[in-house]
Amino acid sequence: MFNTLFLKPVRSMPAKVSMNVDGLDMDNIPQHVAIIMDGNGRWAKARGKIRTQGHKVGAETLKTIVRAADTLGIKAITAYAFSTENWKRPVTEVHFIMELLSRYLTSEIEEFKENNVQVRFMGSREGLPDIVTEKMDHAIEETKNDTGIILNLAINYGGQAEILHAVKSIAQQVADGTLKVEDIDAPVFENNLYSKGLPAPDLLIRTGGDLRVSNFLLWQIAYSEIWTTQVFWPDFTPDMLVEAIKMYQKRERRFGGLVQK
Ligand code: FPP
């Protein structure tokens, strides 16, 4: 028999999340998992649907995966929902994703609270519709005291833009006399990133088959283990999350050092 974990049913969330955790070491679960949710458009095209339908189903998949991650004991998920480069897409698709985000942050807020999910965001607010930033603020405020899994949504996010933002912020502190050049080190730099307060991801998952980082978490993934799959994001399942974690557990993390004997 499979060793299966079940979750309580929650309103408007998938009734249950089950997964086969056979062979999984529950004492070595990655604390922070980052996800590039790629392949929504191709998923839709393969079914004769318009691309945006893939994003809609992809948003549902994210809910399922957050619940599965929480059950497994993962402490934070950072999901790439909209990149600084995604503005280049057709305006109708951009509008659809903004609308989807806005709806998601409205419809899911009660579920997040019921499930003790803390919602955070990373990225620039510049150019985002007011309705989206208002919903973001609301989600932050409503879930700020939640102590369960952190869902960190990367929206209007780019790793290079984030690094430039941190550099400018540090330069300003030096100019203001509140920071000395000789005191700039990795922790200071990290405190100026959007991901301030979150540990670096242990595991980066990319769906959709491409083998690139796509400007995601450029500083933070320095030592992350990477797992990719051909599967398109809407088809990603809790069992695939377990599979990624099993791979992670087989890897030997050395952080530039030598194997511990
Ligand atoms: C990549 O698929 C996906 C995106 C650019 C957007 C991701 C958005 C979602 C999963 C839904 C919105 C999220 C929330 C939280 C509401 P793609 O369009 O690049 O797919 P393709 O490579 O097949 O074209």
Side-chain angles (χ1 to χ4, degrees):
M1 261 307 275
F2 286 153
N3 187 3
T4 305
L5 293 175
F6 286 100
L7 286 166
K8 310 193 286 291
V10 177
R11 182 168 51 87
S12 103
M13 278 199 163
K16 71 182 180 195
V17 176
S18 68
M19 54 200 145
N20 175 10
V21 295
D22 263 2
L24 194 66
D25 176 359
M26 298 306 282
D27 294 327
N28 184 19
I29 296 294
Q31 297 291 287
H32 182 184
V33 176
I35 309 179
I36 300 177
M37 308 180 285
D38 199 16
N40 293 346
R42 282 167 286 163
W43 179 91
K45 193 172 173 210
R47 285 161 181 76
K49 298 174 191 279
I50 52 170
R51 292 178 52 80
T52 47
Q53 285 306 302
H55 298 318
K56 199 170 162 193
V57 178
E60 294 298 313
T61 303
L62 181 59
K63 282 197 276 185
T64 307
I65 294 304
V66 170
R67 301 192 73 209
D70 194 20
T71 307
L72 292 170
I74 291 168
K75 301 283 182 246
I77 292 277
T78 293
Y80 210 178
F82 191 83
S83 78
T84 45
E85 287 69 41
N86 287 154
W87 295 108
K88 294 180 206 156
R89 295 188 174 209
V91 71
T92 47
E93 183 169 339
V94 171
H95 281 168
F96 184 92
I97 295 177
M98 292 300 149
E99 175 81 21
L100 188 62
L101 281 167
S102 163
R103 279 169 191 244
Y104 187 82
L105 293 174
T106 309
S107 64
E108 299 317 312
I109 210 73
E110 287 309 314
E111 279 72 20
F112 288 146
K113 283 162 67 177
E114 278 169 32
N115 288 284
N116 206 16
V117 177
Q118 188 186 106
V119 184
R120 297 191 192 179
F121 299 94
M122 66 190 312
S124 166
R125 290 190 167 214
E126 217 170 293
L128 289 177
D130 289 348
I131 183 75
V132 172
T133 54
E134 282 160 20
K135 297 278 170 64
M136 287 162 68
D137 285 337
H138 182 67
I140 293 168
E141 184 58 30
E142 289 290 314
T143 66
K144 68 180 182 199
N145 296 321
D146 289 353
T147 53
I149 191 167
I150 294 168
L151 171 59
N152 185 35
L153 289 171
I155 296 176
N156 197 17
Y157 174 83
Q160 292 178 343
E162 180 185 35
I163 289 170
L164 285 173
H165 169 85
V167 167
K168 284 182 190 165
S169 156
I170 288 170
Q172 190 63 56
Q173 292 163 52
V174 171
D176 293 345
T178 56
L179 180 66
K180 292 197 197 113
V181 170
E182 56 271 29
D183 289 339
I184 300 171
D185 56 11
V188 166
F189 192 78
E190 283 165 1
N191 266 332
N192 286 276
L193 292 171
Y194 296 130
S195 54
K196 177 181 173 179
L198 273 181
D202 305 292
L203 172 62
L204 170 67
I205 292 174
R206 179 171 189 142
T207 61
D210 285 329
L211 298 177
R212 47 176 177 260
V213 168
S214 296
N215 202 14
F216 193 39
L217 305 174
L218 296 182
W219 171 279
Q220 297 90 337
I221 60 168
Y223 289 102
S224 305
E225 297 298 330
I226 301 178
W227 185 85
T228 62
T229 173
Q230 296 289 328
V231 169
F232 298 141
W233 174 250
D235 283 336
F236 191 75
T237 62
D239 279 334
M240 292 172 195
L241 177 64
V242 171
E243 198 188 318
I245 298 172
K246 281 187 191 164
M247 173 289 300
Y248 164 86
Q249 294 180 341
K250 286 196 191 111
R251 302 259 180 105
E252 192 176 72
R253 304 191 78 195
R254 295 192 298 277
F255 299 95
L258 299 176
V259 188
Q260 302 273 324
K261 292 274 185 207

